[in-house]
Amino acid sequence: MKIGFVSLGCPKNQLDTEVMLHELLAAGFEVTPEETEADIIIINTCAFIESAKKESIDNILDIAWLKENHTLKGIVVTGCLAERYRDELFTELPEIDAALGVGSIHSIVDAVKSVAAGKRFSEYAPADEVRLGGDRVLTTPDYSAYLKIAEGCDNRCAYCAIPAIRGRFRSRTIEDIVTEAKEMEALGVRELCVIAQDITRYGQDIYGEYSLAKLLRAITDATTIPWIRLLYCYPDKITDELIAEIRGNDRILKYIDLPVQHATDHMLKAMNRHGDRALIDSVIDKLRREIPGIVIRTTFIVGFPGETEEDFQALCEFVREKKFEHAGAFPYSREEGTPAYDFPDQIDEQVKLDRADILMREQQAVVDEYLASKVGQTIDVLVEDFDPVSEAHYGRSVADAPEIDGKVFFVSPMRIAPGSFVKVEITEVQDYDLVGKAIIPKKK
């Protein structure tokens, strides 16, 4: 029996897909990348915001066409959509044959076997009791992998459904994480992206204190992985110890993903963000001061209920002032079950879209200036592949996280294997990407 997979949403969801892949392969199933060859297809869904829900439903309906018109025997839906809408799922989408909540990913083999036998299946174990970690099959390139150090979230931002979907925050032990990091190294991973809903909270629940810095030291002591990248940090939990570890540890990239969401106390309080504008300013200034050259990525929500024109203009000024190397702006998505759903002063959809567009134009000007400053510099690049059409290699620098940031395109007198590091002299800028030429040392 051949199993197909569709994995949607964030890297944290992708890791759940990787765990389910391993359990199915261990049970003797064959996995195929071709949907038309599959007997059963598993769709690991996202339901964070409205657009993600729509993408999940569209994928389910697209796959359902194969049941009606091809040889597909069943559809298994897992992930956040299945968890969030467990009561409506089978009624609204009768094409589905099995559903697993986020706490039941380890029951994937039972679900597939039931569907293969023609039986409908569903299971919703408590989300915050799911076994963390576990063997997995990497779906990322061989040289780069995500490392999930915790699950769930306790921050309870007013707009966010994740705590209701994923449960309370739970850290894995340092020993468990280090073991997995060593396994990743043995597979040839050169870049490890540390993820969770909030990696800066790591360890507080099991060690009684923020322990991300201690974890990073343990990983670098136990492995030789050259690039370790930090994603999903919160401003109110950036400790002096963490800053010192990033500064002093050569293998922790001088890159941090730091979602701030807004820039006025009025909006930060309404969003139930932890920390005010003064704290955000202080953290950003300290990162810039203590870690010269650090690259900061952030995200913003525009059009949150009650956002005034003055709030929005202050946010635009904030973007111009702080000069984030990377930033994304997203229109507020009104999500049922969140406190903000019932807030007064909801903003018109077109206004939200317009504000997101304006803010990203402000950010584009910042990025143009930043990228232009790279012309003439020589930077380290992790090679990803070769594009035969442009006859150029491409990869990422320290400043670029997988999937979300830019690329570095470069010519080379010789082919360079993916996963290699090469020095590239930057010669020009194209949109959000850099262009250059490889510096190949001459053989003695």
Side-chain angles (χ1 to χ4, degrees):
M1 178 161 291
K2 294 183 178 181
I3 310 298
F5 258 93
V6 177
S7 189
L8 305 172
C10 66
K12 297 175 285 293
N13 212 39
Q14 185 177 345
L15 262 73
D16 289 347
T17 293
E18 293 178 348
V19 169
M20 289 188 285
L21 273 168
H22 179 272
E23 296 195 359
L24 286 165
L25 289 169
F29 291 97
E30 181 181 348
V31 174
T32 175
E34 300 297 330
E35 294 173 355
T36 54
E37 293 182 356
D39 298 297
I40 293 173
I41 290 179
I42 296 156
I43 308 173
N44 194 16
T45 59
C46 179
F48 178 50
I49 56 176
E50 189 62 35
S51 59
K53 287 184 282 186
K54 184 178 185 304
E55 181 185 20
S56 294
I57 292 168
D58 287 347
N59 271 271
I60 292 168
L61 296 177
D62 286 346
I63 297 299
W65 184 90
L66 293 174
K67 279 182 68 178
E68 294 292 326
N69 300 281
H70 213 266
T71 57
L72 185 69
K73 298 180 177 66
I75 298 173
V76 180
V77 173
T78 64
C80 294
L81 187 81
E83 180 71 33
R84 191 173 180 187
Y85 298 103
R86 63 173 74 179
D87 295 332
E88 303 100 315
L89 204 63
F90 287 126
T91 303
E92 297 295 328
L93 294 166
E95 300 88 350
I96 296 171
D97 300 287
L100 296 177
V102 298
S104 296
I105 62 171
H106 297 294
S107 296
I108 189 62
V109 172
D110 292 338
V112 167
K113 286 181 177 178
S114 291
V115 172
K119 301 175 183 177
R120 182 166 275 188
F121 184 94
S122 66
E123 183 179 300
Y124 293 93
D128 52 11
E129 294 180 12
V130 65
R131 186 172 77 252
L132 303 182
D135 293 332
R136 56 191 175 105
V137 175
L138 292 186
T139 57
T140 51
D142 293 343
Y143 51 81
S144 182
Y146 294 103
L147 181 66
K148 183 158 61 171
I149 64 173
E151 182 58 275
C153 189
D154 291 343
N155 290 322
R156 301 201 171 273
C157 301
Y159 49 78
C160 186
I162 292 298
I165 297 172
R166 291 278 175 177
R168 61 183 174 80
F169 185 87
R170 294 100 65 206
S171 301
R172 297 170 61 189
T173 65
I174 289 176
E175 293 77 14
D176 187 34
I177 296 168
V178 167
T179 296
E180 184 171 352
K182 291 165 71 173
E183 291 169 354
M184 297 296 102
E185 180 181 31
L187 292 172
V189 168
R190 313 297 303 283
E191 176 189 39
L192 207 53
C193 298
V194 178
I195 62 171
Q197 303 297 340
D198 175 3
I199 68 170
T200 37
R201 185 182 285 269
Y202 174 77
Q204 185 186 41
D205 54 323
I206 56 176
Y207 301 123
E209 61 182 1
Y210 298 145
S211 304
L212 180 58
K214 186 183 299 182
L215 172 65
L216 296 175
R217 284 195 296 275
I219 292 172
T220 51
D221 285 347
T223 73
T224 61
I225 296 172
W227 277 15
I228 299 175
R229 189 181 297 276
L230 306 182
L231 302 177
Y232 313 114
C233 302
Y234 276 65
D236 62 299
K237 304 180 192 72
I238 301 293
T239 64
D240 290 343
E241 184 185 15
L242 178 59
I243 290 175
E245 187 64 29
I246 299 171
R247 181 181 64 239
N249 191 329
D250 291 340
R251 287 158 52 208
I252 308 299
L253 298 185
K254 303 331 179 220
Y255 174 108
I256 191 166
D257 178 24
L258 191 77
V260 299
Q261 310 303 13
H262 219 284
T264 67
D265 288 347
H266 167 229
M267 294 311 301
L268 292 167
K269 183 177 181 180
M271 291 178 173
N272 197 36
R273 298 289 292 177
H274 301 179
D276 57 11
R277 170 63 185 272
L279 181 142
I280 292 171
D281 284 343
S282 173
V283 167
I284 293 171
D285 292 347
K286 182 180 287 189
L287 286 168
R288 298 283 194 205
R289 184 176 64 252
E290 299 286 336
I291 311 171
I294 190 169
V295 171
I296 303 178
R297 155 168 280 284
T298 195
T299 53
F300 303 106
I301 295 173
V302 296
F304 189 79
E307 183 186 59
T308 65
E309 184 61 30
E310 291 75 19
D311 288 322
F312 178 65
Q313 290 303 323
L315 182 56
C316 290
E317 176 58 32
F318 179 73
V319 166
R320 290 190 292 267
E321 174 192 330
K322 295 302 179 186
K323 297 188 181 301
F324 296 103
E325 287 78 7
H326 301 292
F330 302 94
Y332 163 69
S333 179
R334 190 180 184 189
E335 297 299 318
E336 67 270 21
T338 64
Y341 184 84
D342 296 318
F343 281 5
D345 303 319
Q346 298 283 334
I347 306 294
D348 178 78
E349 289 297 324
Q350 190 58 51
V351 172
K352 290 190 277 190
L353 292 171
D354 290 345
R355 287 179 177 176
D357 185 57
I358 291 168
L359 193 63
M360 286 311 297
R361 287 205 299 269
E362 296 281 2
Q363 175 63 17
Q364 180 69 61
V366 173
V367 171
D368 288 345
E369 180 183 339
Y370 164 68
L371 293 178
S373 73
K374 296 298 177 183
V375 175
Q377 293 187 21
T378 297
I379 62 175
D380 292 323
V381 173
L382 176 60
V383 180
E384 295 186 301
D385 212 337
F386 177 80
D387 177 17
V389 176
S390 63
E391 296 186 335
H393 292 79
Y394 60 89
R396 291 178 291 102
S397 71
V398 167
D400 304 302
E403 307 293 334
I404 54 176
D405 295 329
K407 302 280 189 186
V408 180
F409 292 86
F410 62 94
V411 294
S412 170
M414 57 185 289
R415 290 291 286 270
I416 305 173
S420 303
F421 288 99
V422 64
K423 291 191 179 296
V424 175
E425 181 184 345
I426 303 304
T427 56
E428 62 178 298
V429 177
Q430 291 184 358
D431 297 324
Y432 282 96
D433 300 319
L434 296 171
V435 178
K437 57 184 180 182
I439 306 299
I440 306 297
K442 293 181 180 180
K443 293 183 179 179
K444 295 181 180 180

